[in-house]
Amino acid sequence: DGKIGGANNDGVVADDDDASAPEDGDTSNIISVDAYNAVMSAMKEEKQWKEALKLLSLMEKGNGSSDKGGGVGIAKTKTKAVDDAERVHPRPTLVTYHHALEACASSAESDQAVTLLMSMRDKGAEPTSHTFDLVVRGLLKRSQ
């Protein structure tokens, strides 16, 4: 089914279970994806869409390196994801992507939301009807 340790081949965790933990059970240096999602939710509420997309990019890469180009780096990032043992950040979940989309939508940054939506499948996150609804809300907010 394409799943590896709770994550698909592209590294996106299907739900909020932290599948990025090392197999030996040592999770002392890993912050849970739930904590990251809580931060993303706060960014959404504060309309900090750039910061939300930067955090998502770090989670996608997994190793703590940031995009030196000054941009958001969602679709532009070509850095290969690191192995689970080397991860600093947990893998993003669909909830993580939804928070990032909501941050864009609440800030009327529909172009960013569309770019993120289009990159989700490449990152292994399958958009749902709710995902599309979030993007449409961003488009509607922008037109008001």
Side-chain angles (χ1 to χ4, degrees):
D1 66 2
K3 302 267 180 173
I4 299 174
N8 63 23
N9 289 334
D10 294 316
V12 175
V13 179
D15 56 30
D16 277 353
D17 292 338
D18 186 11
S20 63
E23 289 192 21
D24 66 3
D26 180 16
T27 59
S28 60
N29 63 341
I30 296 177
I31 299 172
S32 77
V33 72
D34 291 335
Y36 278 76
N37 285 343
V39 171
M40 293 286 281
S41 180
M43 289 176 177
K44 166 188 73 176
E45 296 301 323
E46 296 297 321
K47 299 182 179 182
Q48 296 178 341
W49 65 273
K50 287 182 183 179
E51 291 80 5
L53 293 180
K54 286 178 186 177
L55 181 57
L56 177 62
S57 180
L58 288 174
M59 291 174 74
E60 290 171 339
K61 292 177 199 172
N63 63 358
S65 64
S66 61
D67 182 15
K68 303 283 188 215
V72 175
I74 293 297
K76 300 174 195 162
T77 302
K78 299 291 184 199
T79 306
K80 185 176 186 237
V82 297
D83 293 333
D84 282 347
E86 299 171 351
R87 290 190 76 78
V88 174
H89 304 285
R91 297 181 191 283
T93 65
L94 188 58
V95 171
T96 312
Y97 282 98
H98 284 178
H99 286 317
L101 286 167
E102 287 178 294
C104 293
S106 68
S107 302
E109 292 292 334
S110 57
D111 292 341
Q112 294 295 326
V114 170
T115 299
L116 177 56
L117 173 67
M118 294 180 70
S119 73
M120 284 178 66
R121 280 198 176 129
D122 293 338
K123 303 289 185 180
E126 189 64 34
T128 64
S129 59
H130 181 65
T131 310
F132 289 100
D133 182 56
L134 294 171
V135 174
V136 169
R137 279 194 246 159
L139 291 167
L140 291 173
K141 185 167 186 139
R142 180 178 173 180
S143 69
Q144 293 176 350

